[in-house]
Amino acid sequence: MTDQAIVRLRRSALYMPCSNSRALEKAAALPADVLLFDLEDAVAPDAKSQARAAIVAALKQKDYGRREKVVRINAVDSDWGYQDLKALADTPLDGLLLPKVESAEQINQALAVLGRDVPVWVMAETPRGVLNIETIAAHPQTAVIVMGTNDLAREMRVLQSAGREEFAWAFGRCVMAARACGCDILDGVYNRLQDDEGLQRLCDQARALGFDGKTLIHPAQLAICNKAFLPADNEVAEARAIVEAWQQAPDQGVLVVNGRLVEALHVDEAHRCLAMVQMAQNGQ
């Protein structure tokens, strides 16, 4: 049986620029599973210092409720990244997002400067990072892989298509590494803010490929994403039927439920499905 304690809802992970004080305030009321407080791409060079101080103060003073609080720092080998890590040394947070990770050693370097172990989220957004994703995901502190599709497309010199065939190999490799190493994995952002149909299509595709959720750039994208990465009503009904049938015949190794052959692995999947729905209903 799946232990509900190990199921974590990470359907939606919203990037929030740390240089925007209004965004830091608004984040406390948004229905995002994860708040990705951004010190990197979303912050101009001359605003880095102010943004750093703002997020440290916000995390120490504000109540963000059940939302997972993760800070994306600047490049580990940059002065900005070093200063980010020093500032966050005693700041309460749920995770650290490292950009352009290409080796497990970068994780070690970041944690050494931070001075403590925290869950590490890694951006897979370069060819070298994707090629080395197995060793990166295997690091004991790696919790989540985040696809950085915009940067990856640029470095691969490809155009992003509607079906994203250009990322098929990278997606497959990173999903496999995540599953092998017990990590979650999130899809990259969708850049079009007024295209709900396109967002829905990519959310559906990402879930079908094995992603646990998606990174987002605007609060308006949250509702579609949160729903897309939860089991549908028919999946929930099937999961309940499987669990009930298994409970009624616990000594049988194989059952037939609604014409489908069911084994222990399907029961585990059913328990995980129901746990996710319960957590979403409880706002956990």
Side-chain angles (χ1 to χ4, degrees):
M1 174 178 171
T2 296
D3 182 356
Q4 183 168 336
I6 68 173
V7 177
R8 188 84 190 236
L9 286 182
R10 289 171 172 146
R11 301 165 298 172
S12 55
L14 180 65
Y15 285 107
M16 308 293 292
C18 294
S19 55
N20 186 329
S21 58
R22 184 171 176 272
L24 297 185
E25 289 285 346
K26 187 177 181 181
L30 293 174
D33 290 334
V34 182
L35 299 172
L36 294 176
F37 296 108
D38 195 5
L39 290 169
E40 193 208 16
D41 286 348
V43 180
D46 60 358
K48 297 285 188 185
S49 180
Q50 174 266 329
R52 186 182 304 123
I55 190 53
V56 169
L59 289 174
K60 289 183 176 181
Q61 298 169 10
K62 299 184 188 302
D63 181 7
Y64 289 106
R66 57 99 185 162
R67 300 161 190 82
E68 206 167 357
K69 303 171 291 296
V70 178
V71 179
R72 178 164 74 168
I73 66 167
N74 289 278
V76 174
D77 59 356
S78 71
D79 183 58
W80 287 331
Y82 179 85
Q83 295 301 325
D84 293 341
L85 290 164
K86 283 298 185 183
L88 293 168
D90 62 351
T91 302
L93 47 79
D94 298 311
L96 195 66
L97 177 57
L98 306 183
K100 295 180 174 61
V101 178
E102 297 186 330
S103 72
E105 181 56 30
Q106 287 175 278
I107 300 174
N108 293 331
Q109 293 170 356
L111 294 177
V113 176
L114 187 68
R116 59 188 170 116
D117 283 344
V118 299
V120 174
W121 296 39
V122 298
M123 297 288 300
E125 53 186 343
T126 69
R128 189 178 299 277
V130 172
L131 289 173
N132 293 334
I133 197 63
E134 294 174 34
T135 56
I136 294 168
H139 190 286
Q141 292 306 123
T142 301
V144 180
I145 298 170
V146 179
M147 299 305 304
T149 44
N150 286 336
D151 280 282
L152 187 58
R154 182 191 62 192
E155 297 215 9
M156 289 172 62
R157 301 178 191 169
V158 299
L159 298 176
Q160 295 193 50
S161 65
R164 302 198 294 180
E165 293 85 359
E166 62 278 6
F167 294 131
W169 187 85
F171 283 171
R173 185 175 179 84
C174 290
V175 169
M176 198 67 73
R179 296 296 167 254
C181 299
C183 305
D184 278 351
I185 182 166
L186 306 183
D187 190 16
V189 299
Y190 186 56
N191 299 314
R192 297 183 181 275
L193 295 180
Q194 297 180 334
D195 181 11
D196 289 352
E197 182 178 340
L199 175 62
Q200 182 71 60
R201 184 180 66 252
L202 290 199
C203 285
D204 291 343
Q205 180 198 51
R207 187 177 174 223
L209 291 174
F211 287 94
D212 298 288
K214 189 170 180 65
T215 50
L216 307 172
I217 57 175
H218 195 279
Q221 299 175 320
L222 285 168
I224 289 174
C225 191
N226 282 339
K227 183 177 181 181
F229 284 95
L230 268 187
D233 291 345
N234 65 307
E235 295 175 82
V236 175
E238 182 177 18
R240 288 195 176 118
I242 289 173
V243 170
E244 290 171 4
W246 197 262
Q247 290 172 343
Q248 292 171 10
D251 297 327
Q252 295 193 37
V254 178
L255 295 176
V256 176
V257 180
N258 296 330
R260 176 188 177 189
L261 194 67
V262 171
E263 301 175 89
L265 65 93
H266 301 115
V267 180
D268 281 345
E269 292 174 355
H271 277 295
R272 187 175 191 280
C273 168
L274 297 178
M276 290 178 64
V277 172
Q278 188 64 50
M279 291 178 72
Q281 291 174 345
N282 294 341
Q284 298 176 327

